[in-house]
Structures are given as C-alpha cells and as structure tokens.
Amino acid sequence: MGRLAPVVLLVFSNLFMTYAWYGHLKDFRSKPLLVVIIISWGIALLEYCLQVPANRLGSSFLSLGQLKVMQEVIAMAVFAVFAVFYMKQTLRLDFLWAGLCLCGAAYFMF
C-alpha cells in the first residue's frame, strides 16, 4: 500500500469530517444543538483517528505543503460527491471552478 495509504486514509477521514460538519443538516435537524455538537464531535474523533496516521505516513515522502494541498483536493472531491449524492444538492459550475483551482494548487505544490 505504501504511498497510497495516506490518500486512502485521507479519503475516509474526509468522509467522516464532511458528515460531521454537514450531515446533521439532513439527519439531526430536529435534535437540540448540544446533542448535535456531541454527535459531530464523536464523528470527528473517528476522522482524527484516520487523518493523523495519514499525515504521519505521508510526511515520510511528502512536504507539509504537499500534504495540505493533497488533503484539500481530497476534501473538495469528497464534499462534491457528498453534496450531490447524500445532500441532494445540484452539481454547479462552482464545484468545477473550485476543483480546477485546487488542481492548479496541486500542480504548483507538487
């Protein structure tokens, strides 16, 4: 798995974090805010259990800047899929433009 491990871990960590940040807007709308905060905090803990090892593994062959840009590209991709398929949002051109800007950032960082 080697160099692919940080990417896989970051994809799954971003799935958890995206849900922790936005899933409550769909699934826990009727719950009190404090309950939603605690639930989201628990989900975010799972995210950190994947994100920290991803960065630790990735730091052996990527710079800090490369790790950050890679994480942002993955986060935007995960968010776009989550927004469209889970939250039923319309895929808009701003996803494309933001994605292209992130690809440019990745190009210059790598």
Side-chain angles (χ1 to χ4, degrees), residues 1-88:
M1 192 126 161
R3 291 182 178 251
L4 192 57
V7 175
V8 172
L9 289 169
L10 284 173
V11 167
F12 283 103
S13 83
N14 274 282
L15 284 169
F16 281 117
M17 190 51 88
T18 300
Y19 185 79
W21 283 0
Y22 304 107
H24 65 88
L25 298 173
K26 178 179 178 183
D27 296 333
F28 302 113
R29 202 167 224 13
S30 64
K31 300 278 186 214
L33 184 57
L34 183 59
V35 171
V36 174
I37 290 169
I38 292 168
I39 291 169
S40 292
W41 182 83
I43 295 166
L45 176 64
L46 297 173
E47 184 268 343
Y48 274 89
C49 289
L50 297 171
Q51 179 266 338
V52 170
N55 285 331
R56 171 94 34 121
L57 291 168
S59 70
S60 66
F61 57 90
L62 296 170
S63 72
L64 187 62
Q66 288 172 325
L67 278 170
K68 181 59 181 169
V69 169
M70 181 175 69
Q71 190 280 327
E72 293 299 335
V73 170
I74 291 168
M76 190 63 184
V78 167
F79 178 77
V81 171
F82 178 84
V84 171
F85 291 105
Y86 190 77
M87 298 297 286
K88 306 296 186 212

Side-chain angles (χ1 to χ4, degrees), residues 73-108:
V73 170
I74 291 168
M76 190 63 184
V78 167
F79 178 77
V81 171
F82 178 84
V84 171
F85 291 105
Y86 190 77
M87 298 297 286
K88 306 296 186 212
Q89 299 290 305
T90 303
L91 185 60
R92 299 183 322 250
L93 276 178
D94 54 351
F95 284 111
L96 173 65
W97 304 137
L100 289 174
C101 288
L102 285 170
C103 288
Y107 172 79
F108 287 113

